[in-house]
Amino acid sequence: MNLLFSIDDRFVDQLATVLTSIAENTNAEDFQVYVIADHPLEASAKLATYCEQLEMTYHPIVIDPQDFAQAPITDRYPTTIYYRLLAYKYLPADLDRILYLDADVLCINDLQSFYQMDLSHHLYASAIHTALTNTTDVINKIRLQNFDADGYYNSGVLLMNLELIRQRVKEKDVFNYIEENRLVLLLPDQDVLNALYGDQIKSVPDELYNFDARKGRTYETISFGEWTLDWVMKHTVILHYCGRDKPWLPNKNTGRYTALYKHYYNLTLRRLASLQ
């Protein structure tokens, strides 16, 4: 199983927490962990050792800033927005698929059902928070003019069909789109993904593969009481701690899934401390 992350030194513990949750809940024989950064991470050696402890293999990928010398960037659109969209350039050519995950997720059930799904002619598999944001979904279609897409996809969890991406995703197209649409982009990398490739993304259920941890009560309501906490613990694969109030921050103790995150986070911190 190939896993992809893009972080800086501020999110090493969070990345390690994601890996802990995957190791605890996913039955796979081989984990290859690729981490893209624009400089060598200070904790790279610690991450490598921790991955080894989890029986995973760590592959740091350091991007040369000159690769994006022609890319339009500003304070709002830093170079990092390109990393997940153009990751295929830096990954081994023999990889046929990889799962990109933000560092603010937990994997609480086996990832295999998602990772092994048939992508056929799709570039990506991703989730739309349709039932949670239906009005916003319509606005985004108008804003990005991608009416053939099923909706507005969240780029925090992306299963990538690398073989097809290498053929269809071109950095020039990405650079040009950002340059030409600066005034309408709100979440740059996510907007670009949806605008250019939204009609080539396979939709997956967000309640299974990109559950917005802020919206537990809403999920329960729209499912007529089915998607309760017990249901989520049994069926949901990926919990996504979207928004600004991250569960690892001090005094951020609200939300029914915060304690679950803190369990994995504190377990990870203890294990990391034992490596020193």
Side-chain angles (χ1 to χ4, degrees):
M1 181 176 289
N2 303 313
L3 304 171
L4 176 64
F5 301 88
S6 178
I7 65 165
D8 57 30
D9 287 296
R10 298 172 297 169
F11 292 94
V12 169
D13 292 342
Q14 290 77 13
L15 168 57
T17 301
V18 182
L19 297 178
T20 299
S21 70
I22 293 172
E24 292 286 329
N25 297 300
T26 295
N27 183 23
E29 295 182 358
D30 180 56
F31 292 99
Q32 303 296 321
V33 180
Y34 296 86
V35 179
I36 297 180
D38 57 10
H39 65 279
L41 296 176
E42 294 178 7
S44 190
K46 182 170 72 171
L47 270 177
T49 302
Y50 191 62
C51 284
E52 184 177 0
Q53 185 181 92
L54 297 177
E55 299 184 347
M56 299 176 172
T57 304
Y58 172 65
H59 304 276
I61 300 175
V62 179
I63 290 181
D64 184 346
Q66 288 303 309
D67 286 2
F68 296 98
Q70 303 304 314
I73 59 173
T74 65
D75 290 342
R76 187 182 177 198
Y77 311 137
T79 306
T80 52
I81 68 175
Y82 299 103
Y83 293 174
R84 80 189 75 180
L85 296 176
L86 301 176
Y88 68 90
K89 291 181 54 181
Y90 305 97
L91 294 167
D94 60 345
L95 297 187
D96 61 350
R97 71 172 55 200
I98 197 165
L99 176 58
Y100 171 84
L101 296 170
D102 276 352
D104 60 352
V105 307
L106 279 183
C107 300
I108 62 173
N109 281 294
D110 200 319
L111 271 173
Q112 294 279 28
S113 61
F114 184 35
Y115 187 82
Q116 298 294 348
M117 72 171 47
D118 179 22
L119 288 175
S120 58
H121 61 282
H122 295 94
L123 295 176
Y124 308 95
S126 181
I128 305 166
H129 292 139
T130 306
L132 305 181
T133 57
N134 191 49
T135 301
T136 305
D137 209 41
V138 173
I139 293 172
N140 282 325
K141 281 193 174 187
I142 296 172
R143 182 170 61 87
L144 301 175
Q145 297 293 295
N146 62 334
F147 298 104
D148 291 333
D150 290 337
Y152 188 74
Y153 293 95
N154 184 283
S155 63
V157 178
L158 280 178
L159 182 62
M160 300 182 173
N161 183 349
L162 290 173
E163 185 175 359
L164 208 54
I165 287 172
R166 293 185 188 102
Q167 299 174 28
R168 298 184 185 173
V169 177
K170 306 300 179 184
E171 59 186 297
K172 183 178 179 180
D173 294 339
V174 173
F175 294 169
N176 287 345
Y177 185 84
I178 291 179
E179 184 65 44
E180 294 169 4
N181 295 275
R182 288 176 180 268
L183 298 180
V184 299
L185 299 181
L186 302 178
L187 301 170
D189 59 315
Q190 193 161 277
D191 281 355
V192 174
L193 174 76
N194 281 274
L196 293 180
Y197 311 112
D199 60 344
Q200 301 177 69
I201 299 176
K202 181 173 184 175
S203 294
V204 298
D206 58 316
E207 69 272 15
L208 294 179
Y209 302 120
N210 197 332
F211 187 102
D212 187 336
R214 301 170 298 179
K215 306 293 186 178
R217 296 292 184 189
T218 305
Y219 279 108
E220 191 169 338
T221 299
I222 63 178
S223 67
F224 299 99
E226 180 184 2
W227 302 336
T228 62
L229 176 60
D230 288 338
W231 186 95
V232 169
M233 294 301 297
K234 184 176 181 180
H235 297 282
T236 295
V237 176
I238 299 174
L239 282 176
H240 195 170
Y241 292 84
C242 305
R244 295 182 179 181
D245 293 339
K246 301 302 185 185
W248 59 81
L249 297 174
N251 303 317
K252 299 300 180 183
N253 297 311
T254 59
R256 60 171 67 180
Y257 300 103
T258 299
L260 180 62
Y261 186 90
K262 289 183 182 295
H263 163 72
Y264 283 100
Y265 187 63
N266 290 325
L267 174 62
T268 301
L269 294 183
R270 290 197 298 270
R271 289 178 176 177
L272 289 172
S274 71
L275 300 179
Q276 298 176 356

